Amino acid sequence: MNVSELSVESLRPFLEALFEAAGVPKEDASVVTDAFLEANLRGVDTHGVRLIPAYVRRLQQGGVNPVPEIRIISDLGGTVRLDGDHGLGQVVGCHAMRTAIERASEHGIAMVVAGNTSHIGAASYYTRMALEQRMAGFATSNNLPSLFVWGGLKRAISNPPFSVSFPSRRTPFVLDICLGTVAWNKIYMRLQNGEDIPEGWAWDPEGRPTTDPGRAAEGSIIPIGGHKGSSLTLAVDLFTGVLGGFAFADQVGALLTNDRDPENSSCLMMAIDVSRILGPEVLDRAERLIEWCKDSPLAAGFSEILMPGEPEESIRRSRLRQGIPVSKDDLRALAELGESMGVEVPF
Amino acid sequence: MNVSELSVESLRPFLEALFEAAGVPKEDASVVTDAFLEANLRGVDTHGVRLIPAYVRRLQQGGVNPVPEIRIISDLGGTVRLDGDHGLGQVVGCHAMRTAIERASEHGIAMVVAGNTSHIGAASYYTRMALEQRMAGFATSNNLPSLFVWGGLKRAISNPPFSVSFPSRRTPFVLDICLGTVAWNKIYMRLQNGEDIPEGWAWDPEGRPTTDPGRAAEGSIIPIGGHKGSSLTLAVDLFTGVLGGFAFADQVGALLTNDRDPENSSCLMMAIDVSRILGPEVLDRAERLIEWCKDSPLAAGFSEILMPGEPEESIRRSRLRQGIPVSKDDLRALAELGESMGVEVPF
């Protein structure tokens, strides 16, 4: 395959230097680099380093503010609204989750809505921050509308990330999904490869089920559970853009279409201090429930019952040894970017 | 059809008297009666008055405690754990949501986990309590495991209720779903009527997709989005039974199998004071998002884009006028119950 495997150690200082060269302060450059590398390490390559040239372009052209002044707009103790000042989604998202964790340690639970920001990347990056404090976490964000609302033919709702984490003694539970049946990327990949898509993934522009990825690309992904996922997705926009006082519906822009305009998405970060609510026994109880699930006869085609996050952890272990796969095209784009910005390219 | 239509006015005092005759204090009898009637009024007849004979039997035989002492076990301000003392799910659930609302008005958000309780009925009953305070609400509960966990052939997860509400100026958003593709009741009804079920609803006992409701009844409903809904459902058990220190997995009993044993389910009630977080403008902003969705070209077969809860509100308006439909069998069971308990039967 047309792919190189690069070690995290060699990539990290290079990527940090790229962001610093684009005007991002050292500490923030380290945050956003870590978020990208963790996505690749866990196999979520769609949210990995291949996006960095677009991010840097947006930083250079004004769509993203490299030096945001993130500030509290309103504060009720357990809930905080943050203005992200059009900073990088990862920087604002981490700030928001750190605030949620801090407040949850006081009140048991806390929710932070941060707006005027951009793409937060893989949402489990933030819910794992809660896990590190033995808290449970929840993370989501609104995005450009790209799905039909139930019953309609207008792209009125987004395909939002939705991550829930819960700590346990050995097997952390880290769910990281979108509320559409699949991510758009899966449709585009089938389109590129000239393959049909399975039934149940998408509607054509007239709202009819389709297996043609080209028709799907002009139509809509079907939300999980049909009207159920449609309403859950609408709830995400209510609890982020609407509640935060930020952009919602088609006021939210796309990540990649215009490098000069702010994206105006907003994210919601929640932390729940489960280890203080029940005490440390919560970790053993969670593990018991997980073990009880795992101790199940297997359906055909399965060799193990896996918790959400487990496959990603196993990919991470192997990629820490073998490196992260980056396509030749993506690698070339990163190298050219480094050269154009005067950052030494290590590959 | 073999159905009578009874007015809420005539049913209410009769049902309250039934619960009082079963030892439930006046105030609680009024709460549980109202929850049942509201379910029927909104067309959720599966959670309506037809269940009352079973409820009364459990109150009489010891499975449910008519006079629970609901008490706080732990309290961090924004999070509270309640012991439901094996009281009626509706009584404990309302107590929990009232506590959540009270605490949310202090901290912005609050979450109450209440255990040692029983079936809470329609979960939207509680999230609408939050709406009345112009707050957003969330309600769920764990139940007897009845679905296969993803990849397995053991009933390891439940088919939990999942309700989210958000207030707006005119059109409240009240989502009330189960996380399985359908409720078990829909499978049983098709079985009774000798009809096939659609593809995508259920697995047979070997985990293969089936359209035979008999095989489905021995197998599992498919969670929404497959592995996604499976993990969300597992999260419900983590955030209720596991986190609360209450029963989880197969420690939770069934509503209807044994009238002497406690059910041991637990519920989670959350309130978010959105009107204080952003101010009253949140109501107009929510309405604008809803209107924007509604202003969409329609897919074939739809005459309107409806928000979750809207169809139920329209049924409620008509049933307030025309009465609640109750089958002859259910009516006879209620009448016999009244007679056996010395409660005057108004129909």
Side-chain angles (χ1 to χ4, degrees):
Chain A
M1 249 167 59
N2 222 355
V3 159
S4 304
E5 288 185 328
L6 296 172
S7 78
V8 170
E9 291 75 28
S10 73
L11 274 170
R12 192 182 298 273
F14 169 65
L15 300 175
E16 287 178 349
L18 276 184
F19 282 110
E20 286 185 63
V24 176
K26 193 173 184 59
E27 201 183 330
D28 291 351
S30 148
V31 163
V32 63
T33 297
D34 190 59
F36 279 118
L37 289 175
E38 285 296 329
N40 279 121
L41 278 172
R42 288 184 164 76
V44 192
D45 296 323
T46 50
H47 289 60
V49 298
R50 73 176 191 90
L51 290 176
I52 288 182
Y55 267 67
V56 168
R57 217 164 49 228
R58 289 180 61 73
L59 283 162
Q60 289 172 324
Q61 306 215 357
V64 173
N65 178 359
V67 285
E69 233 177 275
I70 304 170
R71 64 187 182 84
I72 291 180
I73 321 174
S74 77
D75 186 347
L76 299 177
T79 58
V80 171
R81 284 166 56 231
L82 287 181
D83 184 336
D85 196 20
H86 303 293
L88 282 163
Q90 288 84 349
V91 170
V92 177
C94 284
H95 192 111
M97 185 51 101
R98 274 196 307 271
T99 307
I101 288 170
E102 212 177 278
R103 299 306 182 86
S105 71
E106 286 175 52
H107 306 287
I109 187 170
M111 182 180 96
V112 177
V113 182
N116 295 329
T117 179
S118 55
H119 191 237
I120 59 169
S124 51
Y125 190 75
Y126 311 94
T127 56
R128 282 201 312 273
M129 289 170 65
L131 280 191
E132 280 165 25
Q133 311 300 319
R134 298 190 165 182
M135 293 189 187
F138 173 64
T140 188
S141 81
N142 68 357
N143 292 112
L144 179 81
S146 67
L147 268 56
F148 296 162
V149 67
W150 184 251
L153 298 176
K154 177 171 82 171
R155 291 183 166 185
I157 56 177
S158 68
N159 191 8
F162 198 91
S163 178
V164 180
S165 70
F166 199 97
S168 72
R169 191 57 71 188
R170 280 183 302 281
T171 320
F173 177 99
V174 187
L175 179 64
D176 190 355
I177 57 176
C178 58
L179 294 178
T181 303
V182 291
W184 275 109
N185 199 53
K186 291 215 176 173
I187 308 272
Y188 300 141
M189 271 171 55
R190 300 270 178 143
L191 183 59
Q192 215 166 18
N193 300 338
E195 294 163 9
D196 274 0
I197 56 172
E199 275 180 48
W201 279 18
W203 291 308
D204 70 12
E206 280 75 46
R208 293 172 302 216
T210 184
T211 57
D212 174 347
R215 298 292 288 158
E218 293 163 8
S220 173
I221 289 167
I222 302 176
I224 59 169
H227 71 95
K228 299 183 180 186
S230 174
S231 296
L232 285 172
T233 296
L234 194 49
V236 168
D237 214 2
L238 286 168
F239 280 97
T240 54
V242 167
L243 171 57
F246 306 116
F248 58 86
D250 61 350
Q251 300 159 359
V252 181
L255 172 63
L256 302 174
T257 43
N258 184 334
D259 294 332
R260 277 179 300 277
D261 294 335
E263 186 185 313
N264 284 331
S265 58
S266 47
C267 61
L268 184 160
M269 302 287 162
M270 196 185 281
I272 302 167
D273 195 349
V274 297
S275 299
R276 235 184 107 217
I277 291 172
L278 188 70
E281 64 172 301
V282 75
L283 304 180
D284 296 311
R285 291 170 60 83
E287 192 67 39
R288 283 218 301 283
L289 174 59
I290 288 168
E291 276 168 16
W292 189 76
C293 286
K294 284 177 170 284
D295 181 27
S296 164
L298 295 171
F302 288 85
S303 58
E304 194 183 347
I305 307 278
L306 291 171
M307 288 297 110
E310 275 198 283
E312 292 82 356
E313 283 302 322
S314 121
I315 295 172
R316 186 173 192 274
R317 280 189 297 272
S318 113
R319 289 193 171 182
L320 274 176
R321 288 192 308 270
Q322 293 167 18
I324 288 170
V326 182
S327 78
K328 296 282 184 218
D329 283 352
D330 291 339
L331 203 61
R332 189 176 318 113
L334 283 170
E336 283 170 11
L337 191 64
E339 279 154 23
S340 76
M341 297 177 78
V343 173
E344 199 185 334
V345 180
F347 42 81
Chain B
M1 247 167 62
N2 223 355
V3 159
S4 303
E5 286 183 329
L6 298 171
S7 78
V8 171
E9 292 75 29
S10 71
L11 274 170
R12 193 183 297 274
F14 169 65
L15 299 176
E16 287 177 349
L18 276 184
F19 282 111
E20 285 185 64
V24 176
K26 195 173 182 57
E27 200 184 330
D28 291 350
S30 148
V31 163
V32 64
T33 296
D34 190 61
F36 278 118
L37 290 174
E38 285 295 329
N40 279 121
L41 277 172
R42 288 186 164 75
V44 192
D45 296 323
T46 50
H47 289 60
V49 298
R50 73 175 191 89
L51 289 177
I52 288 182
Y55 266 67
V56 168
R57 218 163 49 229
R58 289 181 60 74
L59 282 162
Q60 290 173 324
Q61 306 215 359
V64 174
N65 179 359
V67 286
E69 234 177 274
I70 304 170
R71 62 185 184 84
I72 290 180
I73 322 174
S74 76
D75 187 346
L76 298 177
T79 59
V80 171
R81 283 165 56 230
L82 287 180
D83 184 336
D85 197 19
H86 303 293
L88 283 162
Q90 288 84 349
V91 171
V92 177
C94 284
H95 191 111
M97 186 50 102
R98 276 197 306 273
T99 307
I101 288 169
E102 212 177 279
R103 300 307 183 85
S105 70
E106 288 175 50
H107 306 287
I109 186 171
M111 181 181 98
V112 177
V113 183
N116 297 328
T117 182
S118 55
H119 191 235
I120 58 168
S124 50
Y125 189 75
Y126 311 94
T127 55
R128 283 201 311 273
M129 291 170 64
L131 280 192
E132 280 164 25
Q133 311 300 320
R134 298 192 166 181
M135 293 189 186
F138 173 64
T140 189
S141 81
N142 68 357
N143 293 113
L144 180 82
S146 67
L147 269 55
F148 296 161
V149 68
W150 185 252
L153 298 175
K154 178 171 80 171
R155 291 181 165 187
I157 56 177
S158 68
N159 192 8
F162 198 92
S163 179
V164 180
S165 70
F166 199 97
S168 71
R169 191 57 71 188
R170 280 182 302 280
T171 321
F173 177 99
V174 187
L175 179 65
D176 190 355
I177 57 174
C178 58
L179 293 179
T181 303
V182 291
W184 275 109
N185 199 53
K186 292 217 175 171
I187 307 274
Y188 299 141
M189 272 171 53
R190 300 271 177 142
L191 183 60
Q192 215 166 19
N193 300 340
E195 294 163 9
D196 274 0
I197 55 172
E199 274 179 49
W201 279 18
W203 291 306
D204 71 11
E206 281 74 46
R208 292 171 302 216
T210 184
T211 58
D212 174 347
R215 298 291 288 159
E218 294 164 8
S220 173
I221 289 167
I222 302 176
I224 59 169
H227 71 96
K228 298 183 180 185
S230 173
S231 296
L232 285 172
T233 297
L234 193 50
V236 168
D237 214 1
L238 286 168
F239 280 97
T240 55
V242 167
L243 172 57
F246 306 116
F248 58 87
D250 61 351
Q251 300 158 359
V252 181
L255 172 64
L256 301 173
T257 43
N258 183 333
D259 293 333
R260 278 180 299 278
D261 295 335
E263 186 185 314
N264 285 330
S265 58
S266 46
C267 61
L268 183 159
M269 302 289 163
M270 197 184 281
I272 302 167
D273 195 349
V274 297
S275 298
R276 236 184 106 219
I277 290 172
L278 188 69
E281 64 171 300
V282 75
L283 304 179
D284 296 310
R285 291 171 59 84
E287 193 67 39
R288 282 218 303 283
L289 174 58
I290 289 168
E291 276 167 16
W292 189 77
C293 286
K294 283 177 171 284
D295 180 27
S296 164
L298 295 171
F302 289 84
S303 59
E304 195 185 346
I305 307 278
L306 292 170
M307 287 298 110
E310 274 197 282
E312 293 82 357
E313 282 303 321
S314 123
I315 295 172
R316 186 172 192 273
R317 281 190 296 273
S318 113
R319 288 193 172 183
L320 274 175
R321 289 192 308 270
Q322 294 167 18
I324 287 170
V326 183
S327 78
K328 297 281 184 220
D329 284 352
D330 290 340
L331 204 60
R332 189 176 318 113
L334 283 169
E336 283 171 11
L337 190 66
E339 280 152 21
S340 76
M341 296 177 79
V343 173
E344 199 186 333
V345 179
F347 44 79

